[in-house]
C-alpha cells in the first residue's frame, strides 16, 4: 500500500490476479485428482504399464495434452498413480482400523479392513499393490518400481509396529517373531485377493481371516479379541 493507505496500481494488478491464479490452481488440482482416480483403477486391472495419456483422456475430463502437461511423462504419471493409490489404501484400510482399542484389537481390525478393501473392490482389480508388485517384481530398480517397493515396505513396517504394540501390551507372547508373523499375515491377505479374483473363490476372505486368527492365537492372542465381522 502507499504511505497514505491507498493501493498502488501495481498492487491493484497483483491483487486482481490472485483469484484467477487460485482458480487455475484449484482447477488444475481437480483435473489431476480426476486423472489419478481413473489411473489407479486402470492400473489395478491392466498394470502400471497400461497407463497411457490417450486412454485416460477417454475416461477423465482432461484431454491428452492436458494430462501430459499435468504429469510430464508416462513415468511421472505412474509414480503419481502409486502415490494416489497409497492415499486410497490409507483411507480404506489404515484409518478405519484406528477407531477403537489399540494393540491386538487394532491389528485385527486392520486385517478385517484389508479384507473388506479387497472384497469391496476399492480398486477394480483388487489390491493395487499386489498387482503392481507382481508386475514390477523382476524389473530393474527405477522410480516406479522404487515407489511400489517403498509402499510395500511401509505397509510391512506398519503391521510390524502393530504387532510390537500388541506384544508390549501383553496381548501376544514375548517371544513372538514379529517379522515372521507379518510375513504370514501378508501371505494370507495376498492369497485371498488372488483367489477371489482369479479363482472366484467366495470363501477366500474367510480362509484368510481364519489363517491370521490361527497364527495370532498360536502367538498367545486371546480368542475374545479376535471377533469376526458383525460379532457382538
Amino acid at each position: 500500500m502507499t504511505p497514505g493507505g491507498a493501493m498502488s496500481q501495481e498492487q491493484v494488478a497483483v491483487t486482481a490476479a490472485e483469484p484467477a491464479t487460485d482458480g487455475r490452481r484449484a482447477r488444475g488440482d481437480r483435473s489431476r485428482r480426476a486423472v489419478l482416480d481413473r489411473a489407479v483403477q486402470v492400473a489395478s486391472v491392466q498394470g502400471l504399464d497400461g497407463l497411457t495419456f490417450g486412454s485416460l483422456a477417454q475416461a477423465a475430463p482432461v484431454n491428452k495434452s492436458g494430462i501430459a502437461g499435468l504429469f510430464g511423462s508416462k513415468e511421472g504419471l505412474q509414480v503419481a498413480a502409486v502415490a494416489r493409490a497409497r492415499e486410497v489404501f490409507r483411507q480404506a484400510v489404515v484409518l478405519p482400523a484406528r477407531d477403537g482399542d489399540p494393540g491386538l484389537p487394532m491389528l485385527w481390525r486392520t486385517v478385517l479392513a484389508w479384507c473388506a478393501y479387497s472384497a469391496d473392490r476399492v480398486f477394480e482389480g483388487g489390491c493395487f499393490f499386489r498387482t503392481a508388485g507382481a508386475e514390477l517384481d523382476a524389473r530393474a530398480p527405477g522410480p516406479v518400481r522404487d515407489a511400489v517397493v517403498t509402499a510395500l515396505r511401509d505397509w510391512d513396517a506398519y503391521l510390524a509396529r502393530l504387532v510390537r504394540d500388541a506384544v508390549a501390551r501383553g496381548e501376544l507372547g514375548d517371544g513372538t517373531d514379529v517379522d515372521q508373523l507379518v510375513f504370514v499375515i501378508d501371505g494370507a491377505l495376498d492369497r485371498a485377493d488372488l483367489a477371489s479374483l482369479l479363482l472366484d473363490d467366495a470363501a477366500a476372505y474367510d480362509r484368510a481371516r481364519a489363517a491370521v486368527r490361527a497364527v495370532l492365537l498360536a502367538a498367545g492372542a486371546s480368542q475374545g479379541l479376535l471377533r469376526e465381522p458383525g460379532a457382538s
Side-chain angles (χ1 to χ4, degrees):
M1 298 180 68
T2 62
M7 297 179 71
S8 68
Q9 290 182 344
E10 293 81 0
Q11 289 169 322
V12 169
V14 169
T15 301
E18 285 176 350
T21 300
D22 290 345
R24 286 195 296 272
R25 182 179 297 111
R27 288 194 296 274
D29 289 344
R30 287 195 297 270
S31 296
R32 181 180 175 87
R33 176 60 62 86
V35 172
L36 289 176
D37 282 346
R38 186 59 199 147
V40 296
Q41 298 300 337
V42 171
S44 73
V45 176
Q46 300 180 16
L48 286 159
D49 276 350
L51 297 179
T52 67
F53 294 161
S55 63
L56 289 176
Q58 297 175 10
V62 185
N63 60 32
K64 184 176 178 179
S65 62
I67 296 174
L70 287 170
F71 300 100
S73 66
K74 180 174 179 175
E75 183 178 85
L77 171 63
Q78 291 170 324
V79 171
V82 174
R84 177 58 182 148
R86 293 190 66 165
E87 293 173 359
V88 173
F89 180 88
R90 183 171 182 271
Q91 291 290 332
V93 177
V94 176
L95 295 184
R98 289 182 176 177
D99 185 16
D101 294 335
L104 182 61
M106 184 178 292
L107 174 62
W108 182 239
R109 287 195 305 274
T110 301
V111 170
L112 299 182
W114 197 101
C115 289
Y117 142 85
S118 173
D120 294 345
R121 302 295 187 255
V122 171
F123 294 111
E124 294 170 11
C127 179
F128 177 98
F129 294 100
R130 184 185 65 80
T131 301
E135 177 186 11
L136 300 172
D137 58 2
R139 304 279 182 89
V144 181
R145 185 180 187 275
D146 292 349
V148 173
V149 168
T150 297
L152 292 173
R153 285 179 172 164
D154 286 350
W155 167 241
D156 282 352
Y158 180 70
L159 286 178
R161 191 175 81 196
L162 295 181
V163 172
R164 290 190 184 97
D165 188 33
V167 172
R169 295 170 63 86
E171 296 164 339
L172 292 175
D174 288 338
T176 297
D177 186 333
V178 175
D179 291 338
Q180 180 65 24
L181 187 52
V182 169
F183 187 89
V184 173
I185 293 172
D186 271 340
L189 297 180
D190 283 353
R191 176 63 186 185
D193 189 72
L194 173 66
S196 172
L197 285 159
L198 187 61
L199 306 179
D200 195 26
D201 182 358
Y205 300 105
D206 291 336
R207 296 182 191 283
R209 288 190 294 268
V212 175
R213 184 187 299 105
V215 75
L216 291 175
L217 290 172
S222 168
Q223 179 72 48
L225 297 179
L226 305 175
R227 298 185 180 90
E228 277 293 317
S232 59

